[in-house]
Amino acid sequence: MSKIEKKEIEEEKEEEKEEEEEKEEVEKKEEEEENEEEEKEEEEKEEIEKATQEVAMNLEKALDLKGLRKKIDDFVGKSELKKKLFNKADVKKDGDDLSPEEKIVGFFQALVNNDVPTLKALSEGTPADGGYLFPDEFRAELIKDLLGPTRMRSLVRVVPMKRDVLKIPKLGSRPHVTWTAENTAKSTTTADFGQKTLTAYKCAAILYTSQELVDDCDTFDVVKLIIELFADALAQEEDRVITAGGGSTEPTGLTSCSIASVTCSGNLGFDDIINLIYELPAQYRTRAKFLVANANIRELRKLKDSQNRYLWQEPIASGQPATFHGYPVIENNWLGEDEIYFGDFKLGYWLGDRQRMAVKVSDIAGDAWEKDMVGIRVVERIAGDCILEDAMRKLITIP
């Protein structure tokens, strides 16, 4: 091979090498440009996503979409209850399939939302003066809270009333028993029956609550709280009228009845309590209880026997009343401080219960609308009077 040929070959290799290098540089540059474009696109994408999120957040805040989502979630959470109420043509039939808790919550939801079809399905009817009658499950839950061990409803006899007036035969005198010889005239005796009339009066309790609390009434716990508030208010008023009701526009209370009395001799002492106990006929002492105002409870707790031991006994179990000389003591501050009652109040006093409770809801009564409040009004009808005064006694003129 000549030098000229060898040189040409070398020049060709150099050219090829240069072309290869140029090609690599071009490819490298193109790759760098592509990477730069991808990075730029990624940055632009991130900026767009960030801007979109900011717009979405501002829009969500402006339109309160969180609140909307909560309502949607609440609606979904209530769907099972709604299915039970509305998945058939016969709404009443579906209402019967609900558990007591579901029926209570369903009724209350329908009440505050003015859901008339559901109210008609779950309520026990419509009273003459408007509103809706509580379903039995709702009323039972409320009555359960009225029956505390120290509530007057638990101490007296509760009788159901189908009408607003109930006439009760009252035994005025008992037959007399006599012994006679053979073939002699027998003495005749009669039992004297009088008559007591129980007249039901309307008692209304009104609760103003926030719209927020009403909106959360899809759980039994919230509805139970509202029931307890009404039960406490109604129980306090029942305690008052059973104890001190005047009898004209409300039930007749114990203090308005003709109950035989024992006069306190000076300051309240153990002898006065003994006189009160044994003034009550023996047949009524087995289930007898004391009704005592707070000031006199303080004095009873101070009394001691000859061994300097307190006569007052603390309750044996939680929820039970304390005892004095073996008889339960119930604090009742509707009584005056100058008197103490003792007797079998289940025999002596009857509470008539119409067993119907009506409820109405309004957001326009008073200033409820301005304060975003909802007024709930519960009405019960009860009657009360002393039926057997002989089963009760009272200690009077306590200084």
Side-chain angles (χ1 to χ4, degrees):
M1 180 181 294
S2 65
K3 292 182 179 179
I4 296 173
E5 291 178 346
K6 186 181 285 187
K7 186 176 180 181
E8 288 177 352
I9 292 172
E10 290 177 354
E11 288 177 354
E12 287 178 357
K13 287 183 178 179
E14 286 180 2
E15 288 178 358
E16 289 178 357
K17 184 177 180 181
E18 289 177 357
E19 289 178 356
E20 187 69 26
E21 289 177 352
E22 288 179 359
K23 184 177 179 181
E24 288 178 355
E25 287 180 2
V26 171
E27 290 178 351
K28 184 177 180 181
K29 187 174 181 180
E30 288 177 351
E31 184 177 355
E32 288 177 353
E33 289 178 351
E34 287 179 359
N35 290 337
E36 289 178 357
E37 288 180 359
E38 287 179 357
E39 289 177 358
K40 187 175 181 181
E41 288 178 358
E42 189 68 26
E43 289 176 357
E44 289 177 352
K45 185 178 179 181
E46 289 178 356
E47 289 179 358
I48 292 172
E49 288 181 356
K50 186 177 179 181
T52 303
Q53 289 178 355
E54 289 179 357
V55 172
M57 289 175 63
N58 292 333
L59 186 61
E60 182 179 33
K61 185 177 180 181
L63 298 178
D64 190 22
L65 295 182
K66 286 186 177 180
L68 179 60
R69 279 202 298 268
K70 183 180 183 301
K71 291 181 179 179
I72 294 173
D73 291 341
D74 290 344
F75 178 82
V76 173
K78 299 172 189 173
S79 60
E80 291 303 316
L81 179 58
K82 289 181 177 293
K83 285 178 184 178
K84 289 186 178 182
L85 287 173
F86 298 111
N87 64 353
K88 298 178 184 177
D90 188 355
V91 181
K92 179 67 176 178
K93 182 177 180 181
D94 285 283
D96 293 338
D97 293 337
L98 298 175
S99 69
E101 290 80 8
E102 288 174 333
K103 194 169 184 180
I104 290 171
V105 172
F107 174 80
F108 199 84
Q109 282 182 314
L111 184 69
V112 298
N113 293 316
N114 196 28
D115 187 346
V116 177
T118 306
L119 281 172
K120 289 182 177 179
L122 297 182
S123 72
E124 296 299 320
T126 305
D129 52 354
Y132 294 91
L133 295 178
F134 279 132
D136 291 339
E137 293 83 355
F138 201 115
R139 182 180 179 278
E141 193 69 28
L142 197 154
I143 291 295
K144 183 174 68 176
D145 289 332
L146 291 177
L147 292 174
T150 61
R151 292 299 192 185
M152 291 301 294
R153 176 181 276 262
S154 299
L155 304 181
V156 302
R157 183 180 298 278
V158 180
V159 294
M161 296 175 62
K162 293 183 178 181
R163 299 176 180 83
D164 285 342
V165 176
L166 176 63
K167 296 186 182 297
I168 303 169
K170 179 185 177 184
L171 184 60
S173 63
R174 298 174 180 272
H176 298 282
V177 177
T178 60
W179 293 88
T180 62
E182 291 292 336
N183 301 320
T184 59
K186 276 73 173 176
S187 300
T188 59
T189 63
T190 59
D192 177 22
F193 286 94
Q195 183 172 267
K196 278 281 189 177
T197 301
L198 291 181
T199 302
Y201 296 99
K202 182 189 295 185
C203 174
I206 301 175
L207 170 69
Y208 285 98
T209 183
S210 67
Q211 183 65 51
E212 288 80 4
L213 183 61
V214 169
D215 291 340
D216 289 336
C217 70
D218 58 317
T219 66
F220 183 69
D221 289 341
V222 175
V223 179
K224 183 73 168 76
L225 169 63
I226 294 173
I227 291 175
E228 288 173 354
L229 292 173
F230 274 112
D232 187 60
L234 291 173
Q236 289 188 46
E237 186 59 17
E238 285 186 358
D239 287 351
R240 184 190 72 80
V241 295
I242 294 173
T243 305
S248 57
T249 59
E250 60 188 11
T252 300
L254 293 170
T255 59
S256 299
C257 297
S258 300
I259 298 174
S261 61
V262 179
T263 302
C264 184
S265 57
N267 291 330
L268 180 62
F270 185 49
D271 289 348
D272 297 307
I273 300 300
I274 292 297
N275 290 336
L276 174 62
I277 291 173
Y278 288 96
E279 180 66 23
L280 185 71
Q283 65 265 34
Y284 304 129
R285 290 188 213 132
T286 305
R287 298 190 302 175
K289 297 177 176 64
F290 289 105
L291 290 181
V292 191
N294 178 67
N296 290 325
I297 287 180
R298 183 167 55 242
E299 297 304 315
L300 289 178
R301 294 187 67 120
K302 298 176 183 177
L303 297 180
K304 302 177 182 179
D305 62 13
S306 58
Q307 303 297 319
N308 204 36
R309 294 173 300 190
Y310 287 104
L311 296 167
W312 181 277
Q313 296 294 317
E314 294 297 335
I316 299 175
S318 176
Q320 297 299 313
T323 60
F324 189 88
H325 201 56
Y327 294 100
V329 180
I330 308 299
E331 182 174 347
N332 186 320
N333 291 307
W334 295 109
L335 288 175
E337 295 181 0
D338 60 342
E339 57 187 353
I340 292 175
Y341 281 70
F342 178 71
D344 184 344
F345 300 104
K346 281 196 179 293
L347 285 178
Y349 191 96
W350 286 19
L351 177 70
D353 192 340
R354 285 285 279 119
Q355 298 184 308
R356 292 157 60 94
M357 285 188 179
V359 59
K360 293 181 180 180
V361 172
S362 174
D363 60 357
I364 59 174
D367 56 354
W369 184 81
E370 296 177 0
K371 296 182 178 180
D372 197 23
M373 304 283 281
V374 175
I376 306 169
R377 181 173 180 262
V378 173
V379 177
E380 72 166 350
R381 294 178 183 271
I382 58 172
D385 204 346
C386 294
I387 300 302
L388 185 61
E389 285 92 342
D390 195 43
M392 301 173 287
R393 292 292 185 272
K394 61 182 177 180
L395 180 65
I396 61 174
T397 65
I398 302 172

